[in-house]
Amino acid sequence: MKSKAVLAAALGLSGCISTAPYAPAPLPAPMPAEQPYASGPAMSPDQAVNTFIAVRNRIEPVVERACRERGAAQNCDFQIGVADDPNLPPNAFQTLDKAGRPVIAFTVALIADARNADEIAFVMGHEAAHHIAGHIPRQQANAQMGAVLGAALGAALGSDQSVQMGQQIGGSYGARRYAKDYELEADALGTELTVMAGYNPERGAAFFTRIPDPGNAFLGTHPPNAQRLATVRATLAWMGWVAPS
């Protein structure tokens, strides 16, 4: 807890604060899960702060250039920072500010838990990929369609309460329906972005071995960790990338 407080103070809690879907090249079938890189010990607070800043400065122009070149997103001016609440659990997320600017936020706990620069870079690449692939507007469209269909089903049942419930259930289903696909798509594109920035995405994805496995729950928002690691390796195989010795 003390190290996280030191890290939060050092980071200064800096505010983290027509899209066409990204179409990745076809990938080969996922390779069997292999022994991942050893995660190693967590970095010291000073190391974590310096590593986060160095990775951010290095990867930000890479993802912005990739965003502009792919032409899918209207705003490619990324803001990468730290979530305001230092007590949030380990997590990172991508959102949009009021001006439509893409924001990538890391919690202090995630930065404190990172083992190396590759892990931080992979997470940044993954979150940037969500924006480049247009996942937020696509998810919103899915939710709206689900709500419309749910309302229609509720209307068929003949009551205002059924319509309202149908909208809620349909909207939730629509928002979650493709969530796992979006995560795997972001893993694949994030792998490319991580390589472009000069980091090792397979080593970076080793954090999947430390987080709880969501399994394959119905309407879950994240795919199994083994599938995500396999996606990273399959993407690297498709790229012909060889890990530096």
Side-chain angles (χ1 to χ4, degrees):
M1 181 64 69
K2 181 178 179 181
S3 63
K4 291 182 182 179
V6 172
L7 196 152
L11 286 167
L13 291 181
S14 54
C16 60
I17 308 290
S18 98
T19 60
Y22 165 68
L27 299 178
M31 297 181 292
E34 300 173 0
Q35 184 65 31
Y37 281 86
S39 293
M43 295 182 284
S44 70
D46 285 344
Q47 288 176 316
V49 170
N50 293 334
T51 299
F52 176 81
I53 293 173
V55 173
R56 180 191 63 187
N57 292 343
R58 183 168 168 179
I59 206 169
E60 187 173 282
V62 172
V63 299
E64 289 181 345
R65 182 172 64 251
C67 179
R68 291 191 297 269
E69 289 174 350
R70 295 178 189 273
Q74 294 179 338
N75 193 324
C76 295
D77 185 16
F78 279 88
Q79 180 182 5
I80 304 175
V82 183
D84 294 326
D85 186 349
N87 298 313
L88 291 174
N91 194 19
F93 57 89
Q94 185 265 317
T95 187
L96 302 174
D97 65 14
K98 294 181 180 179
R101 183 182 182 184
V103 175
I104 297 174
F106 277 62
T107 65
V108 171
L110 179 60
I111 299 172
D113 185 60
R115 300 319 198 233
N116 49 63
D118 297 298
E119 289 190 0
I120 294 176
F122 179 78
V123 175
M124 284 187 187
H126 171 92
E127 297 302 332
H130 277 306
H131 178 70
I132 295 172
H135 287 164
I136 287 181
R138 288 162 65 185
Q139 191 173 43
Q140 290 172 338
N142 293 336
Q144 291 171 355
M145 179 61 70
V148 170
L149 295 176
L153 177 60
L157 297 177
S159 73
D160 292 340
Q161 185 176 5
S162 296
V163 172
Q164 185 177 9
M165 183 176 297
Q167 287 178 321
Q168 294 173 348
I169 295 175
S172 177
Y173 175 81
R176 292 172 176 266
R177 175 65 178 85
Y178 299 103
K180 294 180 184 178
D181 293 339
Y182 292 165
E183 289 301 322
L184 293 175
E185 191 172 278
D187 286 338
L189 177 54
T191 296
E192 295 183 51
L193 296 171
T194 306
V195 169
M196 290 166 58
Y199 294 99
N200 182 332
E202 187 174 15
R203 186 167 182 247
F207 76 88
F208 286 134
T209 64
R210 300 198 307 275
I211 63 176
D213 194 329
N216 199 20
F218 177 65
L219 289 185
T221 58
H222 289 73
N225 292 341
Q227 187 177 11
R228 303 187 71 175
L229 283 166
T231 297
V232 171
R233 295 190 178 112
T235 304
L236 291 173
W238 165 72
M239 295 175 66
W241 181 82
V242 178
S245 55

